[in-house]
């Protein structure tokens, strides 16, 4: 059901062009043979790195493989009239200093903060006039205590160290396993929870929100800042390889069309695997380094399903208003099949056996509940972040159209159980399994973090030990994406940090 890339390009070109795109068209005919720095990939980290370098006086160009910038932080009109944050869909982790330094609000960035932020409905029979229970959490501590008390009076006293109610434990556990091929019972999974709690929006610690216009609007704001300072951005310009001089230093890149572009340094926003195993001539890298990169854990459990609907989901636990207007719970991360941690563990066990989860964990978000610009009047866009789905299926099966649709149908059946009528409201859908996420967005194994966020692949060991400072064994080549410290999420820290490392190195060249 997805529109073709070319058709999408035409549709986007008919709409008003953001500033970066206008600058791009103007610059497209004037690709220069030499720049100070080349950035491979216009994902958000690549854009951040390029903007900082350009602000520091380093003449920088970005080459993007796809027809649209943003990498995984992208807005695409998959179903006519419906604009999806096709991959990443929520914002919190972007470092506050980046907002300020790059003046993102001046470049059009608008945010919608969510409060409440989490809704977990139960699958249980209502009795009499009582609805099935649900857990709604927000920033109001007193209201949270009331909600939690429906399941446990003890847990409602939130200063206690441990919780006993399964709905509360499972709701918290989703952020500990999201995007990770781990169970809530897996040692170390708590780091992923911590990683997702280190952000904030508008001065509110831990807050998550939607970007008006979808996640692509964030990428466009960064790109607008980059081009305002003089950086150049080119889409549909895949890089074929990194050029190395006879002396063993980077001297630029070769594009897929054969064009050679010289530069003093190259920063790669691509994954470590693509950067070092596909784009870099292997003879310039130590064998041990190449072996370590090839052995990185990139397992991913994620299938993302983008859905266009003609009405809001109507949950049994929280019925819709008569007029069909969004209610507070519609703006939340809505957790389905998350009544207890055993369900999450069983979903994980299914994937370990090479099978998509029988009852997948589902995080359902409706960004159009706060941003009506994303869908036609009365309609909505829905993001279904689901797991667990293995990259490789058991029994010799592959993720073909039949398997893809069978899994999506299973997910829709689950949503239907909580919100009857959901399946009848669907106008179109876009199903992205781990191989799809790898093919379209360059995410190795479909991993949204460019590599597992496990303790052996973090901090001084990201991507590998001895090469966690954005530099690599090839002089002049740097990693600036999620495969570098501090890891995945729409954070921008890797891009910002890499840019400053590059700038210091350029001063000594």
């Amino acid at each position: 059901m997805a529109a073709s890339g070319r058709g999408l390009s035409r549709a986007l070109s008919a709409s008003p062009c953001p500033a970066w795109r206008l600058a791009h068209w103007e610059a497209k005919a004037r690709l220069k043979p030499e720049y100070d720095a080349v950035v491979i990939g216009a994902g958000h980290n690549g854009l951040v790195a390029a903007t900082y370098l350009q602000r520091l006086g380093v003449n920088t160009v970005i080459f993007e493989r796809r027809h649209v910038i943003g990498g995984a932080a992208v807005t695409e009109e998959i179903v006519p009239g419906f604009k999806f944050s096709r991959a990443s869909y929520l914002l919190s982790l972007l470092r506050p200093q980046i907002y300020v330094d790059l003046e993102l609000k001046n470049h059009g960035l608008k945010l919608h903060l969510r409060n409440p932020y989490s809704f977990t409905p139960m699958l249980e029979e209502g009795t009499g006039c009582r609805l099935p229970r649900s857990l709604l959490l927000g920033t109001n501590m007193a209201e949270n205590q009331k909600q939690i008390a429906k399941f446990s009076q003890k847990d409602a006293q939130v200063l206690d160290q441990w919780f006993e109610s399964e709905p509360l434990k499972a709701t918290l556990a989703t952020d500990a396993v999201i995007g990770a091929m781990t169970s809530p019972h897996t040692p170390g999974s708590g780091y992923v929870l911590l990683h997702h709690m280190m952000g904030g929006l508008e001065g509110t610690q831990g807050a998550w929100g939607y970007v008006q216009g979808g996640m692509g609007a964030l990428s466009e704001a960064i790109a607008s800042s980059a081009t305002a300072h003089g950086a150049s951005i080119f889409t549909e310009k895949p890089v074929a390889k990194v050029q190395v001089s006879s002396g063993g230093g980077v001297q630029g890149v070769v594009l897929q069309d054969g064009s050679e572009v010289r530069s003093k340094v190259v920063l790669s926003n691509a994954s470590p695997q693509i950067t070092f195993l596909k784009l870099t001539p292997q003879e310039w890298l130590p064998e041990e380094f190449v072996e370590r990169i090839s052995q990185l854990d990139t397992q991913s459990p994620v299938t993302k399903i983008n859905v266009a609907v003609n009405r809001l989901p109507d949950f049994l636990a929280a019925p819709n208003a008569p007029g069909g207007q969004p209610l507070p719970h519609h703006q939340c991360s809505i957790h389905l099949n998350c009544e207890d941690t055993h369900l999450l563990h069983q979903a994980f066990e299914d994937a370990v056996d090479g099978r998509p989860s029988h009852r997948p964990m589902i995080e359902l978000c409706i960004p159009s509940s706060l941003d009506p610009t994303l869908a036609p009047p009365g309609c909505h866009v829905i993001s279904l972040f689901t797991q667990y789905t293995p990259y490789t299926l058991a029994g010799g099966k592959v993720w073909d159209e039949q398997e893809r649709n069978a899994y999506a149908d299973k997910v829709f059946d689950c949503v239907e159980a909580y919100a009857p009528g959901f399946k009848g409201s669907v106008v179109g859908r876009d199903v992205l399994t781990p191989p799809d996420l790898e093919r379209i967005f360059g995410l190795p194994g479909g991993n949204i973090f460019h590599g597992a966020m496990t303790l052996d692949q973090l901090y001084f060991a990201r991507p590998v030990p001895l090469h966690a400072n954005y530099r690599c064994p090839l002089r002049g080549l740097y990693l600036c994406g999620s495969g570098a410290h501090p890891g995945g999420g729409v954070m921008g820290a890797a891009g910002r940090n890499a840019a400053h490392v590059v700038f210091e190195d350029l001063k000594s060249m």
Side-chain angles (χ1 to χ4, degrees):
M1 295 190 188
S4 71
R6 295 294 178 181
L8 183 60
S9 291
R10 288 194 294 271
L12 290 175
S13 64
S15 60
C17 282
W20 78 266
R21 193 175 288 275
L22 288 173
H24 161 62
W25 301 141
E26 292 169 4
K28 193 164 188 177
R30 317 195 293 272
L31 175 61
K32 292 187 287 189
E34 187 167 358
Y35 297 83
D36 295 329
V38 165
V39 176
I40 301 173
H44 83 280
N45 272 309
L47 293 167
V48 166
T51 310
Y52 273 101
L53 285 173
Q54 193 69 45
R55 282 163 43 92
L56 290 166
V58 180
N59 189 21
T60 305
V61 63
I62 309 173
F63 294 118
E64 168 56 40
R65 171 179 59 91
R66 298 190 70 212
H67 63 278
V68 60
I69 66 161
V74 66
T75 301
E76 296 192 65
E77 192 172 335
I78 305 301
V79 178
F82 294 82
K83 298 174 184 175
F84 296 98
S85 292
R86 197 178 183 195
S88 61
Y89 54 100
L90 283 169
L91 189 66
S92 172
L93 302 179
L94 191 71
R95 307 317 298 150
Q97 195 63 43
I98 294 175
Y99 284 98
V100 176
D101 290 346
L102 307 193
E103 301 177 301
L104 296 185
K105 290 200 172 182
N106 291 344
H107 289 280
L109 181 64
K110 297 178 182 177
L111 305 178
H112 296 279
L113 274 66
R114 310 183 307 167
N115 186 32
Y117 51 78
S118 173
F119 177 61
T120 306
M122 303 292 109
L123 268 187
E124 59 185 13
E125 294 293 329
T127 56
C129 62
R130 185 172 71 82
L131 299 172
R133 291 178 298 170
S134 61
L135 180 63
L136 186 69
L137 300 176
T139 58
N140 186 306
M141 183 60 72
E143 286 301 315
N144 287 348
Q145 289 176 312
K146 288 181 184 177
Q147 288 284 321
I148 296 169
K150 292 187 292 187
F151 301 95
S152 167
Q153 288 288 344
K154 177 184 175 184
D155 288 351
Q157 305 307 310
V158 293
L159 293 180
D160 284 355
Q161 186 176 4
W162 305 107
F163 303 121
E164 66 179 8
S165 58
E166 279 297 333
L168 178 57
K169 289 195 291 185
T171 295
L172 295 173
T174 58
D175 273 345
V177 299
I178 199 159
M181 187 61 88
T182 58
S183 159
H185 305 318
T186 304
S189 63
Y191 175 77
V192 179
L193 173 62
L194 173 64
H195 190 82
H196 283 89
M197 295 302 294
M198 66 173 66
L201 292 175
E202 308 287 356
T204 302
Q205 180 68 30
W208 289 76
Y210 301 118
V211 177
Q212 180 158 316
M215 291 296 283
L218 167 66
S219 299
E220 289 183 355
I222 303 171
S224 176
S225 180
T227 55
H229 286 91
S232 300
I233 302 172
F234 295 92
T235 57
E236 297 182 291
K237 285 284 188 186
V239 171
K241 69 173 183 176
V242 174
Q243 283 275 62
V244 184
S245 71
S246 58
V250 161
Q251 63 178 18
V253 298
V254 179
L255 303 180
Q256 206 166 76
D257 62 11
S259 305
E260 296 186 12
V261 179
R262 295 188 301 278
S263 65
K264 298 173 184 175
V265 294
V266 172
L267 295 81
S268 178
N269 189 41
S271 68
Q273 293 85 346
I274 290 175
T275 302
F276 301 121
L277 304 183
K278 294 186 177 180
L279 299 181
T280 307
Q282 299 295 282
E283 63 269 23
W284 295 105
L285 297 174
E287 285 185 21
E288 182 184 1
F289 177 81
V290 171
E291 185 177 359
R292 281 183 175 272
I293 294 294
S294 65
Q295 293 174 349
L296 288 175
D297 177 7
T298 59
Q299 291 185 92
S300 172
V302 176
T303 289
K304 175 81 187 298
I305 307 176
N306 299 298
V307 190
V309 296
N310 58 23
R311 59 184 180 273
L312 281 168
D314 191 5
F315 292 94
L316 291 172
N320 284 359
Q325 296 302 309
L327 294 172
H329 68 274
H330 286 121
Q331 65 182 268
C332 294
S333 287
I334 301 170
H335 302 103
L336 307 181
N337 291 339
C338 295
E339 282 90 330
D340 62 63
T341 51
H342 174 73
L343 276 176
L344 302 182
H345 180 71
Q346 185 56 57
F348 166 73
E349 290 286 308
D350 289 344
V352 169
D353 293 335
R355 297 175 288 119
S357 301
H358 176 65
R359 283 189 65 182
M361 182 186 100
I362 302 169
E363 181 172 282
L364 183 155
C365 291
I366 315 171
S368 51
S369 64
L370 291 176
D371 179 9
T373 69
L374 299 174
C379 297
H380 289 275
V381 294
I382 293 179
S383 166
L384 297 173
F385 189 93
T386 78
Q387 56 188 81
Y388 298 78
T389 49
Y391 183 95
T392 303
L393 298 174
K397 294 181 178 180
V398 295
W399 280 112
D400 56 17
E401 200 65 21
Q402 180 178 343
E403 290 295 331
R404 191 182 287 115
N405 284 320
Y407 176 72
D409 289 343
K410 182 189 300 183
V411 170
F412 280 27
D413 287 341
C414 290
V415 179
E416 182 80 11
Y418 291 90
F422 168 76
K423 291 198 291 187
S425 72
V426 174
V427 175
R429 71 187 187 190
D430 172 45
V431 183
L432 301 171
T433 64
D436 297 320
L437 293 169
E438 181 177 66
R439 173 178 52 85
I440 296 170
F441 299 106
L443 302 173
N447 193 291
I448 63 173
F449 303 127
H450 281 196
M453 300 281 284
T454 49
L455 296 179
D456 61 331
Q457 294 186 175
L458 288 171
Y459 303 108
F460 61 86
R462 193 169 187 90
V464 296
L466 305 181
H467 295 285
N469 59 359
Y470 311 99
R471 301 180 182 95
C472 79
L474 177 58
R475 190 175 73 253
L477 179 60
Y478 302 80
L479 200 63
C480 69
S482 293
H485 175 74
V490 183
M491 184 181 292
R496 180 176 184 267
N497 293 351
H500 287 295
V501 169
V502 169
F503 183 67
E504 289 302 312
D505 287 356
L506 281 172
K507 288 195 295 187
S508 62
M509 283 185 181

